[in-house]
Amino acid sequence: QVQLVESGGGVVQPGRSLRLSCAASGFNFKNYGMHWVRQTPGKGLEWVTIIWYDGSKKYYADSVKSRFTISRDNSKNMVYLQMNSLRAEDTAMYYCARDRPYGDYTIDYWGQGTLVTVSS
Amino acid sequence: EFVLTQSPATLSLSPGDRATLSCRASQSVSSYLAWYQQKPGQAPRLLIYDASNRAPGIPARFSGSGSGTDFTLTISSLEPEDFAVYYCQQRSNWFWAFGQGTKVEIK
């Protein structure tokens, strides 16, 4: 079965960096685009970024552009989110999620999330 | 800016009731609209994709409809486990938008 397990969250000071990881299993990882989506405590969902199945394309929400970088290692079935210059408003649960491979830009599986808290 | 607006914000219903949730897009982009269910402390779960197709394992009481800018999620007869928050989602210009959510609560 599809499993996505995030790690790397924690408490970090404003302006510092953090790298999140997502370990994928139960499917042919190299064939799927992967997203990061975040959710502020008690609030709604906010899409953060997507990376194409082969890493050839990446797109970002304006709120994180130039600060966050998504990457992947298909040999290890891993996707990463490098977060720099963190702000208080980046505090959220970060979910790793899989993109359906049928061209309809739908997220079909989600991990359980890792919590990032930006606070001094 | 592409925006998805869900209504109502909260729906207070009883088990066995019919639930009708709305999602309106600020512009027509495609029929590729998805619905997700999220329960407290859990990740979202895909219910409907491409506006009207149920994801694997989703009960038949969940149905989706709509096109253009107006989409609807219907739960024909609410079960106790259906009380949750529901989000719609659509992509526009390489930006994945989510609605703000509709909470279906027990009346």
Side-chain angles (χ1 to χ4, degrees):
Chain A
Q1 71 280 20
V2 174
Q3 278 202 308
L4 300 168
V5 179
E6 303 92 337
S7 61
V11 180
V12 61
Q13 293 179 328
R16 304 297 289 263
S17 299
L18 203 62
R19 189 174 90 148
L20 306 183
S21 300
C22 171
S25 60
F27 64 102
N28 199 347
F29 178 75
K30 65 182 181 182
N31 291 341
Y32 290 80
M34 297 295 295
H35 299 262
W36 288 96
V37 179
R38 66 186 181 183
Q39 186 169 34
T40 307
K43 300 289 185 180
L45 300 165
E46 179 188 13
W47 174 77
V48 175
T49 180
I50 184 175
I51 185 167
W52 247 230
Y53 68 99
D54 58 356
S56 61
K57 293 182 181 179
K58 306 172 186 180
Y59 296 97
Y60 299 90
D62 286 345
S63 58
V64 306
K65 205 171 291 184
S66 78
R67 299 189 299 123
F68 289 12
T69 302
I70 190 171
S71 61
R72 66 189 296 158
D73 185 338
N74 284 349
S75 68
K76 296 181 179 178
N77 288 3
M78 295 290 295
V79 63
Y80 306 99
L81 184 65
Q82 178 67 42
M83 304 186 294
N84 297 334
S85 302
L86 282 161
R87 305 167 180 167
E89 54 264 37
D90 296 318
T91 294
M93 182 71 79
Y94 284 76
Y95 294 102
C96 169
R98 191 182 82 166
D99 196 70
R100 265 171 52 90
Y102 302 112
D104 58 7
Y105 310 107
T106 297
I107 294 170
D108 63 355
Y109 286 95
W110 303 65
Q112 286 304 304
T114 187
L115 184 61
V116 173
T117 302
V118 183
S119 173
S120 55
Chain B
E1 180 191 1
F2 181 71
V3 176
L4 293 173
T5 302
Q6 292 185 240
S7 61
T10 303
L11 207 47
S12 298
L13 296 168
S14 301
D17 286 350
R18 181 183 187 90
T20 303
L21 288 67
S22 173
C23 176
R24 176 164 289 178
S26 56
Q27 59 184 290
S28 177
V29 293
S30 75
S31 61
Y32 296 145
L33 184 113
W35 290 94
Y36 302 88
Q37 177 194 67
Q38 188 178 32
K39 297 179 181 179
Q42 296 185 16
R45 177 176 71 146
L46 177 65
L47 298 176
I48 301 287
Y49 64 93
D50 298 355
S52 60
N53 295 298
R54 274 189 303 277
I58 300 304
R61 63 181 181 273
F62 291 93
S63 63
S65 63
S67 62
T69 60
D70 291 303
F71 299 88
T72 300
L73 174 69
T74 302
I75 311 171
S76 59
S77 178
L78 283 164
E79 296 288 338
E81 61 268 27
D82 298 337
F83 292 91
V85 180
Y86 293 84
Y87 296 95
C88 58
Q89 173 261 315
Q90 196 170 44
R91 180 197 72 93
S92 173
N93 291 334
W94 308 116
F95 171 76
W96 277 251
F98 289 92
Q100 80 280 19
T102 290
K103 181 179 182 180
V104 178
E105 65 176 22
I106 300 176
K107 186 175 181 179

